[in-house]
Amino acid sequence: MQTLKNSQLLDQEIRELIISHEKVAHVQLNNPLDHALLILIKSGYTAIPVLDRDYRIQGQISKAKILDSILGLERIEMERLNDLKVKDTMETEMPIMSMNSTFGEALTRSINHPFVCIEDEDGAFVGILTRRSILALVNRYFKHT
Ligand code: 2BA
């Protein structure tokens, strides 16, 4: 019986857990790094998605990557923030899932990634699934079964 319940949890849809794209801080490929740093600092997040002009997911940018990219031999070269673009610095290796993915897949991805980007069937950015929302559901599940 418990095995059946566990598989119901893992097979369930992720739709209701997604933070919608309007609420997700993001930057675009051609934004200069100073703009990306501003968004990261203002939002308070460590890393945020990078989108192209057609609202497709291209990668993610983090404060750590930005700082690393302006680290000179003897000093932090702040002037480079305006020369470098998000596309020069972003990470492209990141998990992307579809609206039809299961909670089990999201749970597995969240082990190594604080958030997972979700795209629709046309490849457009729908939103993100965070480790927080995944853990909240697991917590609710174990408290009520
Ligand atoms: P981090 O920025 O490293 O944040 C780690 C956790 O710290 C978040 O986990 C959340 O619990 C808390 N936190 C950080 N900044 C916060 C803020 N401004 N308001 C409320 N809580 C905050 P999660 O919620 O599971 O998020 C996982 C990761 O997803 C975040 O990692 C961030 O990279 C990304 N993320 C979450 N919400 C986002 C949003 N609205 N826009 C862009 N990226 C977001």
Side-chain angles (χ1 to χ4, degrees):
M1 190 60 178
Q2 192 60 39
T3 311
L4 181 64
K5 280 189 178 165
N6 287 348
S7 78
Q8 278 168 359
L9 171 73
L10 296 176
D11 290 343
Q12 107 175 31
E13 287 193 344
I14 54 170
R15 283 170 197 268
E16 67 196 46
L17 300 177
I18 296 172
I19 298 177
S20 176
H21 62 93
E22 307 99 346
K23 294 184 186 152
V24 177
H26 66 270
V27 288
Q28 298 212 333
L29 286 172
N30 284 320
N31 288 150
L33 280 194
D34 58 358
H35 175 74
L37 192 55
L38 189 80
I39 302 287
L40 281 161
I41 291 171
K42 283 251 177 203
S43 66
Y45 295 115
T46 310
I48 53 175
V50 177
L51 307 179
D52 66 16
R53 282 165 162 212
D54 299 320
Y55 231 63
R56 286 166 200 275
I57 305 149
Q58 299 296 325
Q60 66 171 17
I61 187 106
S62 64
K63 288 174 191 156
K65 268 276 177 191
I66 293 179
L67 288 179
D68 193 46
S69 71
I70 60 168
L71 193 63
L73 282 179
E74 290 180 357
R75 65 181 187 92
I76 295 179
E77 297 168 353
M78 299 294 278
E79 63 281 8
R80 300 189 68 207
L81 281 176
N82 205 19
D83 300 336
L84 288 169
K85 295 196 165 169
V86 165
K87 65 182 175 194
D88 305 321
T89 306
M90 67 182 193
E91 289 167 82
T92 52
E93 293 289 311
M94 59 182 294
I96 300 178
M97 290 181 15
S98 80
M99 299 277 277
N100 301 323
S101 305
T102 62
F103 182 74
E105 290 170 64
L107 184 61
T108 305
R109 300 288 179 92
S110 75
I111 295 170
N112 289 323
H113 301 275
F115 70 94
V116 180
C117 285
I118 313 293
E119 65 182 11
D120 68 14
E121 52 284 353
D122 300 321
F125 179 57
V126 172
I128 59 171
L129 200 58
T130 63
R131 197 178 270 163
R132 172 196 277 228
S133 62
I134 290 169
L135 286 178
L137 183 67
V138 171
N139 183 47
R140 259 200 323 273
Y141 174 80
F142 280 111
K143 284 197 172 150
H144 296 113
T145 51

